């Protein structure tokens, strides 16, 4: 076996690249929470079947905490945001300066959707018969009350679901028996205590319909094992194999070194090559940053990022470690929320495209810091159809064509999974640890045992025993 083939299991190499002082300052980076050894088989039916989609609707999307929107997307009292998941719809409302509520987006009278789009109103009103509620969900106007026999006004409160906030995001949970968001997130706030996402604003938010199941789409952003083949230009700048992956209850984390070429990259790589690759420059594009002779790319990128941040966070930029300025920290919160740590701007969300289990909605947020007390307005959302490319959203910059490289795989992944001769996929022991962790949680929520076999005989089975 060649060196190139045998470099995929080097858990501590990420830590070895960091100075001891960094680990003393950021001890959570050194926590060792690996899954038990061994690769993992996952049935293709668990991934792309209609039966799996139906069970997700019953056991995940009506019971798990899920990010609905950013607080800044509903900044004023009365702002209302429509969040759809499968065939369900909810209205997220800023009901007072520091209070958020979420209601089922359906009139209790005849079932009409109460809001079809985002906006601001001092109340919630049905467009069919004018039933009207306060922002707290209390009925304000019920025409012809005497027509509704055996029901009084107190019976007309708008059905409400649980809400919570973290990092500037608003979460909802339709399950009245669900644990609190704080309990669900566990240690996640501790990981982000230096990287407060609530102190960021939306500089880009792009939604795209993708031609594959939501799980297939998000799995492309849960490992760096695919970088060498799907994003070969990134091997100049990302050590995609010396990664550190850990799991923490309902979330997982993987970290990898940036400004450090991949072990699979052959040939000489200059410091300028590394920086150009980090900026996702196309071959014919003019250089944006010139690296001085003798300055390592990693140091140059850290210094450049520190000065960029200084414009918004001031001298706090001097307190940041090099790894926080350069490296990749990508998290996944079950089932579909992907915030990036440190001062990388990325956050992803993936969900089914309505009730279609063969297509999905992928969302990309760029979140930037701002000067204290000077929060800019969030950029409006850009919507891309299934036939459009991320590169048609100029606000994404050069990273858009990197997303497009992933999208190119999606239809072939969907068709290949549906055509599989073995009826399963095989996840690697370590490189795909985040995906393994996802399916361990997925099986728990859907009622499977560790082998993917249904443990509740009252439910239809997806996997042959």
């Amino acid at each position: 076996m060649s060196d190139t083939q045998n470099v995929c299991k080097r858990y501590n190499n990420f830590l070895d690249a960091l100075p001891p002082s960094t680990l003393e300052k950021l001890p959570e980076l050194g926590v060792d929470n690996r899954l038990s050894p061994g690769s993992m088989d996952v049935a293709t039916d668990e991934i792309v079947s209609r039966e799996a989609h139906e069970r997700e609707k019953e056991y995940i999307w009506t019971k798990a905490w899920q990010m609905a929107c950013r607080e800044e997307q509903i900044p004023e009292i009365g702002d209302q945001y429509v969040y759809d998941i499968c065939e369900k719809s909810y209205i997220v409302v800023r009901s007072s300066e520091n209070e958020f509520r979420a209601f089922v987006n359906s009139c209790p009278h005849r079932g009409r959707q109460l809001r079809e789009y985002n906006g601001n109103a001092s109340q919630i009103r049905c467009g069919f018969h004018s039933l009207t509620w306060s922002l707290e969900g209390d009925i304000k106007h019920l025409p012809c009350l005497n027509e509704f026999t055996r029901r009084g006004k107190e019976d007309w409160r708008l059905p409400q679901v649980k809400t919570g906030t973290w990092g500037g995001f608003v979460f909802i949970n339709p399950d009245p028996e669900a644990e609190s968001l704080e309990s669900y997130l566990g240690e996640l706030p501790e990981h982000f205590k230096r990287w407060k996402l609530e102190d960021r604003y939306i500089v880009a938010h792009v939604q795209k319909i993708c031609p594959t199941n939501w799980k297939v789409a998000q799995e492309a952003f849960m490992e760096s094992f695919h970088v060498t083949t799907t994003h070969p230009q990134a091997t100049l700048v990302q050590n995609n194999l010396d990664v550190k992956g850990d799991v923490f209850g309902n979330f997982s984390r993987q970290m990898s070194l940036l400004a450090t070429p991949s072990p699979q990259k052959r040939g000489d790589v200059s410091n300028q090559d590394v920086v150009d690759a980090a900026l996702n420059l196309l071959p014919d594009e003019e250089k944006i940053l010139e690296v001085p002779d003798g300055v390592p790319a990693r140091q140059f990128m850290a210094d450049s990022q520190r000065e960029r941040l200084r414009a918004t966070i001031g001298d706090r930029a001097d307190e940041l470690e090099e790894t926080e300025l350069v490296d990749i920290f990508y998290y996944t919160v079950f089932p579909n929320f992907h915030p990036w740590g440190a001062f990388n701007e990325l956050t992803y969300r993936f969900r089914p495209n309505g009730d279609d289990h063969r297509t999905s909605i992928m969302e990309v947020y760029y979140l930037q810091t701002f000067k204290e007390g000077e929060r800019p307005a969030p950029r409006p959302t850009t919507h891309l159809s299934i036939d459009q490319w991320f590169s048609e959203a100029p606000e994404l910059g050069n990273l858009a064509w990197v997303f497009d490289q992933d999208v190119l795989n999606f239809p072939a992944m969907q068709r290949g999974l549906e055509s599989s001769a073995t009826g399963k996929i095989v996840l690697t022991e370590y490189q795909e640890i985040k995906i393994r962790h996802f399916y361990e949680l997925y099986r728990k929520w859907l009622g499977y045992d560790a082998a993917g076999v249904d443990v509740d005989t009252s439910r239809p089975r997806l996997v042959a025993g």
Side-chain angles (χ1 to χ4, degrees):
M1 183 177 290
S2 71
D3 290 341
T4 301
Q5 293 173 310
N6 197 33
V7 293
C8 295
K9 197 173 174 182
R10 307 195 298 191
Y11 178 85
N12 286 319
N13 285 28
F14 176 88
L15 296 180
D16 291 344
L18 305 182
S21 59
T22 293
L23 294 178
E24 291 174 6
K25 197 171 185 178
L26 303 170
E28 62 274 9
L29 300 187
V31 174
D32 186 345
N33 278 353
R34 281 174 276 183
L35 289 176
S36 57
S39 57
M40 179 184 191
D41 293 355
V42 179
T44 55
D45 279 353
E46 293 182 74
I47 305 170
V48 294
S49 73
R50 182 71 197 183
E51 291 80 6
H53 175 76
E54 292 297 328
R55 289 183 70 155
E56 291 166 8
K57 291 194 297 183
E58 183 175 0
Y59 298 109
I60 293 180
W61 302 121
T62 59
K63 296 183 181 297
W65 282 100
Q66 48 209 281
M67 188 271 281
C69 65
R70 290 278 296 172
E71 292 183 30
E72 64 192 292
Q73 292 176 302
I74 44 175
E76 304 296 333
I77 296 173
D79 282 347
Q80 302 175 26
Y81 189 96
V82 177
Y83 170 67
D84 297 328
I85 184 69
C86 298
E87 77 274 36
K88 301 294 186 183
S89 184
Y90 304 91
I91 310 170
V92 183
V93 180
R94 187 183 285 264
S95 54
S96 65
E97 183 177 357
N98 297 306
E99 183 177 53
F100 301 92
R101 296 174 184 264
F103 302 99
V104 176
N105 193 6
S106 173
C107 180
H109 172 214
R110 293 276 294 279
R112 187 195 191 280
Q113 189 173 0
L114 294 170
R115 284 205 74 98
E116 299 166 70
Y117 46 84
N118 307 332
N120 181 280
S122 60
Q123 56 195 10
I124 301 170
R125 179 179 175 274
C126 179
F128 198 1
H129 297 93
S130 294
L131 278 77
T132 307
W133 292 264
S134 71
L135 299 179
E136 290 74 31
D138 297 317
I139 190 73
K140 292 178 63 179
H141 176 62
L142 184 62
C144 301
L145 177 60
N146 61 317
E147 286 283 323
F148 296 97
T149 58
R150 300 186 301 276
R151 291 181 69 95
K153 291 184 71 172
E154 66 277 3
D155 299 315
W156 287 93
R157 180 167 178 79
L158 203 57
Q160 187 170 335
V161 301
K162 288 189 169 187
T163 58
T165 61
W166 170 78
F169 296 94
V170 182
F171 293 76
I172 72 160
N173 193 321
D175 182 4
E177 304 300 321
E179 65 182 307
S180 68
L181 177 64
E182 291 75 17
S183 173
Y184 187 87
L185 295 179
E187 303 172 47
L188 187 70
E190 182 67 16
H191 284 234
F192 280 78
K193 65 184 178 182
R194 290 168 58 88
W195 314 323
K196 297 183 182 297
L197 299 187
E198 60 268 32
D199 294 336
R200 315 280 177 93
Y201 78 102
I202 299 172
V203 294
H205 178 208
V206 178
Q207 295 183 355
K208 174 175 164 48
I209 308 300
C210 295
T212 192
N213 183 274
W214 68 276
K215 299 187 294 297
V216 178
Q218 78 170 8
E219 288 162 17
F221 298 85
M222 294 171 69
E223 46 88 2
S224 58
F225 194 27
H226 71 288
V227 165
T228 305
T229 303
T230 301
H231 312 292
Q233 76 285 349
T235 59
L236 287 164
V237 67
Q238 182 183 356
N239 185 336
N240 62 307
L241 298 182
D242 289 340
V243 298
K244 183 178 186 298
D246 298 284
V247 302
F248 307 85
N250 289 319
F251 73 92
S252 61
R253 172 193 69 189
Q254 197 159 78
M255 305 178 290
S256 65
L257 298 168
L258 208 61
T260 306
S262 170
Q264 293 180 313
K265 180 63 184 175
R266 298 303 189 187
D268 294 331
V269 178
S270 71
N271 290 320
Q272 187 67 56
D273 291 336
V274 171
V275 172
D276 290 348
L279 296 171
N280 296 298
L281 295 183
L282 294 170
D284 57 346
E285 282 191 287
E286 186 177 347
K287 294 186 184 341
I288 297 175
L289 296 173
E290 293 283 349
V291 183
D293 291 340
V295 177
R298 187 172 172 85
Q299 177 188 328
F300 178 79
M301 287 177 59
D303 291 344
S304 298
Q305 173 74 324
R306 194 184 307 276
E307 292 311 306
R308 188 183 73 83
L309 287 170
R310 192 184 305 281
T312 54
I313 68 173
D315 291 341
R316 191 161 69 88
D318 294 324
E319 302 172 8
L320 301 176
E321 296 294 299
E322 183 180 78
T323 187
E324 296 175 281
L325 296 163
V326 177
D327 294 328
I328 297 175
F329 303 81
Y330 51 112
Y331 287 74
T332 295
V333 181
F334 185 86
N336 66 330
F337 176 52
H338 304 256
W340 281 40
F343 288 87
N344 196 297
E345 298 173 358
L346 285 169
T347 291
Y348 303 122
R349 173 174 63 183
F350 301 83
R351 51 186 163 141
N353 177 29
D355 201 29
D356 182 3
H357 67 288
R358 302 184 78 245
T359 64
S360 57
I361 303 172
M362 174 180 168
E363 295 177 71
V364 180
Y365 291 83
Y366 287 179
L367 303 176
Q368 284 187 4
T369 57
F370 56 89
K371 289 184 178 180
E372 186 175 359
E374 300 181 14
R375 176 185 286 275
R379 186 181 180 110
T381 303
T382 296
H383 299 270
L384 300 176
S385 72
I386 199 167
D387 297 318
Q388 291 180 287
W389 297 95
F390 278 110
S391 49
E392 296 178 55
E395 62 266 40
L396 295 179
N398 280 2
L399 198 54
W401 67 270
V402 181
F403 298 144
D404 286 341
Q405 289 176 313
D406 290 297
V407 172
L408 280 168
N409 284 330
F410 288 169
M413 285 294 302
Q414 182 72 25
R415 182 60 60 86
L417 287 164
E418 293 173 339
S419 305
S420 172
T422 64
K424 67 180 181 181
I425 64 169
V426 183
L427 298 173
T428 61
E429 176 178 335
Y430 188 68
Q431 289 291 323
E432 294 164 333
I433 189 173
K434 292 183 67 184
I435 307 176
R436 286 177 56 207
H437 178 247
F438 169 84
Y439 279 106
E440 286 193 359
L441 292 175
Y442 182 82
R443 289 170 172 177
K444 176 182 176 182
W445 280 78
L446 267 63
Y448 300 138
D449 67 13
V453 177
D454 198 327
V455 296
D456 183 349
T457 56
S458 68
R459 301 175 185 171
R461 294 178 61 156
L462 298 182
V463 186

